Amino acid sequence: MTTPMPLGLESPLALESACQLSESDAHRRLRVLLEQGLPLTPRPWQVLAERCGLEEAEVMACVRRWQEETLIKRLGLVVRHRRLGIDANAMVVWNVPDDQVARVGQSLAQESVVTLCYRRPRRLPEWPFNLFCMIHGVQREQVLAQLELLVHRHGLAEIDHQVLFSQHAYRQCGGRYAPRRSDEHPGA
């Protein structure tokens, strides 16, 4: 579960007055800037404010409001792991009995080598898997050794699973908040 990032506003009234319901050009610019990611500075909200003609407190208030309205569901980090030399990326898919999947998922998610862990519905009969976890490493052998330790540590030897190594890195991007013209392609 992701909780909204605290933005340091002292009062809810400041939030209401800082970001009015009507959206100005400055607020539209802020949405576009947020799509590009937060600036890597000690005061990213101040930098965004300067770039779109708002006050820092107003930027923070608008982001908080957009989080409350679920326009922004979460703020996160996109890591370009292949640029860091981490090329062995495996999605491990598990067919965990339904009465055990929550416990197994929670325990796997606590492991430092597991970067993602989530449950999805099975698509029977073709796809029996309901738990997915991602393990990244520099070499396949390293990832497989980490997986073997996880299987042993969590008693998962009898649980059907497959290891799917990625073969292609698709373009990663953050959230899209600014409305697009009909002639624009997403991510363009």
Side-chain angles (χ1 to χ4, degrees):
M1 183 171 122
T2 304
T3 56
M5 187 170 106
L7 299 176
L9 290 174
E10 284 110 32
S11 95
L13 293 176
L15 172 67
E16 287 299 317
S17 61
C19 185
Q20 298 300 318
L21 291 176
S22 64
E23 185 170 79
S24 69
D25 287 339
H27 293 107
R28 282 187 284 282
R29 282 193 304 274
L30 176 58
R31 286 186 188 192
V32 170
L33 289 171
L34 284 170
E35 287 183 6
Q36 298 168 15
L38 293 177
L40 297 176
T41 69
R43 299 203 46 201
W45 307 116
Q46 178 63 41
V47 172
L48 288 174
E50 291 167 3
R51 289 179 182 169
C52 60
L54 298 170
E55 296 295 320
E56 181 181 29
E58 186 176 8
V59 167
M60 293 165 51
C62 286
V63 171
R64 167 77 80 200
R65 178 184 211 110
W66 293 335
Q67 285 178 308
E68 289 174 356
E69 294 171 351
T70 68
L71 173 68
I72 297 175
K73 293 186 179 171
R74 66 183 176 91
L75 296 175
L77 179 68
V78 174
V79 177
R80 310 241 190 276
H81 51 274
R82 288 180 186 259
R83 290 185 187 171
L84 299 173
I86 301 171
D87 294 324
N89 307 296
M91 176 65 74
V92 184
V93 295
W94 306 83
N95 183 5
V96 181
D98 290 332
D99 63 338
Q100 298 175 32
V101 70
R103 178 188 55 78
V104 171
Q106 288 173 351
S107 66
L108 287 175
Q110 298 302 313
E111 293 283 347
S112 63
V113 298
V114 174
T115 57
L116 290 173
C117 189
Y118 53 91
R119 182 180 187 176
R120 290 286 185 263
R122 292 178 174 90
R123 301 289 183 216
L124 298 173
E126 297 86 12
W127 190 255
F129 305 105
N130 60 344
L131 186 66
F132 299 70
C133 71
M134 194 78 192
I135 302 173
H136 297 283
V138 177
Q139 297 176 345
R140 282 180 177 240
E141 297 77 23
Q142 173 194 19
V143 170
L144 293 171
Q146 291 170 334
L147 175 59
E148 188 175 322
L149 289 172
L150 291 177
V151 167
H152 177 73
R153 188 169 29 249
H154 296 278
L156 301 174
E158 301 301 317
I159 303 291
D160 181 31
H161 65 278
Q162 289 186 17
V163 183
L164 311 171
F165 280 96
S166 60
Q167 297 181 8
H168 179 76
Y170 292 94
R171 182 172 170 242
Q172 294 174 290
C173 62
R176 298 289 176 230
Y177 310 115
R180 301 278 182 249
R181 295 187 324 250
S182 62
D183 62 338
E184 286 183 300
H185 298 287

